Structures are given as structure tokens and as C-alpha cells.
Amino acid sequence: MSNARANHLTRRGIIAAGGALGLGAVLAACGDDDSKSGGSKATESAAAKSGPWTFKDDRGTTVKLDKIPANIVAFTGVAAALYDYGIQVKGVFGPTRTTDGKADVQAGDMDITKVEVIGNVWDEFNVEKYAALAPDVLISTTFDNAGTLWYVPEASKDKIAKLAPSVAVSVYDRQITAPLERMWELAESLGADMTAAADAKKRFETAATRLRAAAKAKPEIKVMAGSASDQLFYVSGTNLSIDLEYFKALGVNFIEPPESAKAEGGGWYESLSWENVDKYQADIIMMDDRSSTIQPSDIAKPTWKQLAAVKAGQVISRSPEPILSYDKCVPLLENLAEALEKAKKVA
């Protein structure tokens, strides 16, 4: 089997497994009224600039256009991050609307009625709608070294590539600070006014200091990152996920499945039957908050309810696909810091 094929199957498996990419937490929003209302300041800033637009992405690909792109189509999470910086996209693909029509958690603060949704689930991407938007650029994340564009279907990727150049921000095997910096650079290049965002960046740094102190004060507290589907429970490793790698670097004591156990999950996670959900004893459990997974309040499995962390009420949320604006990432740090500060040794 080729590496490309193996990567594709791994990506599909990740979604089929309830999105157990790294496994769950969440967020808030940033900027002044202009940035929240769709980015009029960014529009003015972009209009004030002249000359060509150039951006080198994390694949090493340099996109060059005659002007700053106006018609942007992006993966939902990327669009949400750009929105926080005052950049309004025209179209999105990826989890945007829940089954009841509300904004998905990955849509952040975007008004989803003001964007064209050309795909809402895995392997869904309406090429005709995409073409009708006359896209200047497509922006997504990538979860592998090959630079595969997240949520761009394998079957139609060549057609999509012919319609506009693409930009990829890597969220693979690095700490969250790296893609945060890249998204900042991308937004700035697109004309965003980053003045207000500077405050969010300071709050992020303050939250990181708090988390480091909390982890240092309670090194005995073990944290497990999990995700739930009807048939299986997934325990994430830390060595590929941008948030967990960062939290670990700050000193958080994570339960780490052995590499052999994570092989089936492409190195991301270990799959457990619900009968074996007590294989690892954690004091805090962080659960995947994405709509593709079962949320803790809806888990009826008796073995889940018997876990020490569950009994103690020491279960918090986590987002394996953080919205990459500093404002949205501050709560990720604060929530874990607070949980550690309050945690009791129960495992």
C-alpha cells in the first residue's frame, strides 16, 4: 500500500472513528465591533494596500496573486479563525451546521448565514458551488507531512485545484504556538488589522504561564484525552496533536498509550471497547467536543460512569481542531489550568 493511500485511509478512519484525531475543548472571541461584524476594518486595510499578494504556506508552496484575495473559500475552522481577525470568507467546507441548523462548534463566532456552505460533512464538497464563487484562493489545514488539504475530497481534489491556488496551514506534529503564528501571519497578509488581536495574544501567554504553574503544583494528577463513539472509546496520544504537545511541554502529566497500541489509529490514538474503558486510570478526562462525537452528558455506558474521574466530576472538554486565533485558544489553556488547580487525586 502506498503512503498516500495509507494516509488517506488514516484520515478517513479518523473521521469514521468519531473524529478521534487527537481527541476535545473550546472557546470565545476577539476584537472590536468591526472585527465581530465581518471585518470592515480589514476590508479598509486590504483596500489601502496595493500591489501583488504573496504567501508561502507550510507545504513550502508560494501563492502569488495580482492583489489581495477577496473571494476566499476556507475550511470552516480556518474561516472561523480568520473571522476573529476581521477577515470574512465567501465560502466554507467542513463542519459548519449541526443537524438542527445551528452553528457547529468549529464555526466559532461566524454568522453561518453569510457564507456559502459547499460541504458540511466528510467527503462533501460541491465543486459547482465552489466554481460559482469565483475563488481567488482556497485555505485549509493539513494533518500530514504530505500537505493533504483537510476536508478536500480525494476524488475531486484535482478539479478543485484547477479553480484556484491553495494555502495550507500545518497542524501536524507541532505545538499549537506554531500554527497560531502562521494564522496570524496569514490574516495580516490578507489585510487584517492586528492591533486588537495583540491583547488576545498577551492573554494567551498569561494563560500559558498559569497552566505551567498549575501543572508544576500538581505533577501527580494524570490527564487523559478521550473521544467517544457508540462502539468505541479513543485515547489520544500527545505526540501528534498541536494542543496536547503544547500542554505536555508546559508540564501536564498525560496518559500516553504505547506506540504499538496507537498503530491502528495512525499513531494518533488507541481504540478501546467500552468494556475496557478503564484500562487507564486518569484523574482528569478531556473529552472531544466536536459534533461528530458523543458528548459526556450523553454517554450511558456503565463502565464510563464507574471511572474515577467521571465520579469525581473531573471531566472537561477539549477541541482536537482548535480555532487558530489567540482569542479562541485562551480558554483551552484556562480550562485545563482551572481543572488542574481544582483536581483531586482520584485514580
Side-chain angles (χ1 to χ4, degrees), residues 214-222 251 253:
K216 185 177 181 180
K218 293 187 177 179
E220 75 281 3
I221 298 297
K222 292 185 177 181
N253 182 10

PDB file of all heavy atoms in Angstrom, residues 214-222 251 253:
ATOM      1  N   ALA A 214       0.117  25.526  37.282  1.00  0.00           N
ATOM      2  CA  ALA A 214      -0.832  24.528  37.782  1.00  0.00           C
ATOM      3  C   ALA A 214      -0.277  23.112  37.616  1.00  0.00           C
ATOM      4  O   ALA A 214      -0.414  22.265  38.511  1.00  0.00           O
ATOM      5  CB  ALA A 214      -2.158  24.660  37.040  1.00  0.00           C
ATOM      6  N   ALA A 215       0.346  22.863  36.475  1.00  0.00           N
ATOM      7  CA  ALA A 215       0.927  21.546  36.222  1.00  0.00           C
ATOM      8  C   ALA A 215       2.092  21.271  37.165  1.00  0.00           C
ATOM      9  O   ALA A 215       2.261  20.148  37.667  1.00  0.00           O
ATOM     10  CB  ALA A 215       1.389  21.455  34.771  1.00  0.00           C
ATOM     11  N   LYS A 216       2.892  22.283  37.429  1.00  0.00           N
ATOM     12  CA  LYS A 216       4.031  22.132  38.330  1.00  0.00           C
ATOM     13  C   LYS A 216       3.581  21.868  39.759  1.00  0.00           C
ATOM     14  O   LYS A 216       4.204  21.090  40.496  1.00  0.00           O
ATOM     15  CB  LYS A 216       4.901  23.386  38.274  1.00  0.00           C
ATOM     16  CG  LYS A 216       6.190  23.279  39.093  1.00  0.00           C
ATOM     17  CD  LYS A 216       7.045  24.525  38.928  1.00  0.00           C
ATOM     18  CE  LYS A 216       8.345  24.405  39.728  1.00  0.00           C
ATOM     19  NZ  LYS A 216       9.193  25.622  39.561  1.00  0.00           N
ATOM     20  N   ALA A 217       2.464  22.491  40.145  1.00  0.00           N
ATOM     21  CA  ALA A 217       1.959  22.339  41.510  1.00  0.00           C
ATOM     22  C   ALA A 217       1.347  20.965  41.747  1.00  0.00           C
ATOM     23  O   ALA A 217       1.326  20.481  42.888  1.00  0.00           O
ATOM     24  CB  ALA A 217       0.931  23.426  41.797  1.00  0.00           C
ATOM     25  N   LYS A 218       0.853  20.324  40.678  1.00  0.00           N
ATOM     26  CA  LYS A 218       0.206  19.015  40.840  1.00  0.00           C
ATOM     27  C   LYS A 218       0.704  18.006  39.798  1.00  0.00           C
ATOM     28  O   LYS A 218      -0.051  17.536  38.939  1.00  0.00           O
ATOM     29  CB  LYS A 218      -1.309  19.167  40.745  1.00  0.00           C
ATOM     30  CG  LYS A 218      -1.914  19.949  41.909  1.00  0.00           C
ATOM     31  CD  LYS A 218      -3.428  19.922  41.855  1.00  0.00           C
ATOM     32  CE  LYS A 218      -4.031  20.629  43.055  1.00  0.00           C
ATOM     33  NZ  LYS A 218      -5.519  20.629  43.002  1.00  0.00           N
ATOM     34  N   PRO A 219       1.970  17.648  39.879  1.00  0.00           N
ATOM     35  CA  PRO A 219       2.528  16.721  38.893  1.00  0.00           C
ATOM     36  C   PRO A 219       1.947  15.316  38.983  1.00  0.00           C
ATOM     37  O   PRO A 219       2.061  14.526  38.045  1.00  0.00           O
ATOM     38  CB  PRO A 219       4.024  16.715  39.232  1.00  0.00           C
ATOM     39  CG  PRO A 219       4.069  17.053  40.692  1.00  0.00           C
ATOM     40  CD  PRO A 219       2.968  18.050  40.890  1.00  0.00           C
ATOM     41  N   GLU A 220       1.312  15.005  40.122  1.00  0.00           N
ATOM     42  CA  GLU A 220       0.754  13.668  40.308  1.00  0.00           C
ATOM     43  C   GLU A 220      -0.585  13.476  39.601  1.00  0.00           C
ATOM     44  O   GLU A 220      -1.053  12.342  39.419  1.00  0.00           O
ATOM     45  CB  GLU A 220       0.575  13.394  41.806  1.00  0.00           C
ATOM     46  CG  GLU A 220      -0.599  14.103  42.477  1.00  0.00           C
ATOM     47  CD  GLU A 220      -0.344  15.573  42.804  1.00  0.00           C
ATOM     48  OE1 GLU A 220       0.743  16.093  42.466  1.00  0.00           O
ATOM     49  OE2 GLU A 220      -1.235  16.199  43.412  1.00  0.00           O
ATOM     50  N   ILE A 221      -1.215  14.572  39.175  1.00  0.00           N
ATOM     51  CA  ILE A 221      -2.519  14.486  38.516  1.00  0.00           C
ATOM     52  C   ILE A 221      -2.348  14.002  37.072  1.00  0.00           C
ATOM     53  O   ILE A 221      -1.659  14.628  36.270  1.00  0.00           O
ATOM     54  CB  ILE A 221      -3.240  15.843  38.521  1.00  0.00           C
ATOM     55  CG1 ILE A 221      -3.515  16.297  39.953  1.00  0.00           C
ATOM     56  CG2 ILE A 221      -4.539  15.765  37.725  1.00  0.00           C
ATOM     57  CD1 ILE A 221      -4.454  15.391  40.732  1.00  0.00           C
ATOM     58  N   LYS A 222      -2.992  12.870  36.762  1.00  0.00           N
ATOM     59  CA  LYS A 222      -2.891  12.293  35.423  1.00  0.00           C
ATOM     60  C   LYS A 222      -4.095  12.709  34.575  1.00  0.00           C
ATOM     61  O   LYS A 222      -5.240  12.607  35.022  1.00  0.00           O
ATOM     62  CB  LYS A 222      -2.806  10.770  35.511  1.00  0.00           C
ATOM     63  CG  LYS A 222      -1.507  10.259  36.130  1.00  0.00           C
ATOM     64  CD  LYS A 222      -1.440   8.752  36.077  1.00  0.00           C
ATOM     65  CE  LYS A 222      -0.112   8.234  36.638  1.00  0.00           C
ATOM     66  NZ  LYS A 222      -0.016   6.758  36.567  1.00  0.00           N
ATOM     67  N   GLY A 251       4.143  20.965  30.988  1.00  0.00           N
ATOM     68  CA  GLY A 251       4.291  20.148  32.184  1.00  0.00           C
ATOM     69  C   GLY A 251       3.116  19.280  32.564  1.00  0.00           C
ATOM     70  O   GLY A 251       3.162  18.581  33.592  1.00  0.00           O
ATOM     71  N   ASN A 253       0.802  16.217  32.967  1.00  0.00           N
ATOM     72  CA  ASN A 253       1.104  14.786  33.028  1.00  0.00           C
ATOM     73  C   ASN A 253       0.012  13.997  32.314  1.00  0.00           C
ATOM     74  O   ASN A 253      -1.047  13.709  32.884  1.00  0.00           O
ATOM     75  CB  ASN A 253       1.216  14.355  34.492  1.00  0.00           C
ATOM     76  CG  ASN A 253       1.565  12.884  34.639  1.00  0.00           C
ATOM     77  OD1 ASN A 253       1.908  12.211  33.672  1.00  0.00           O
ATOM     78  ND2 ASN A 253       1.474  12.380  35.861  1.00  0.00           N
TER      79      ASN A 253
END
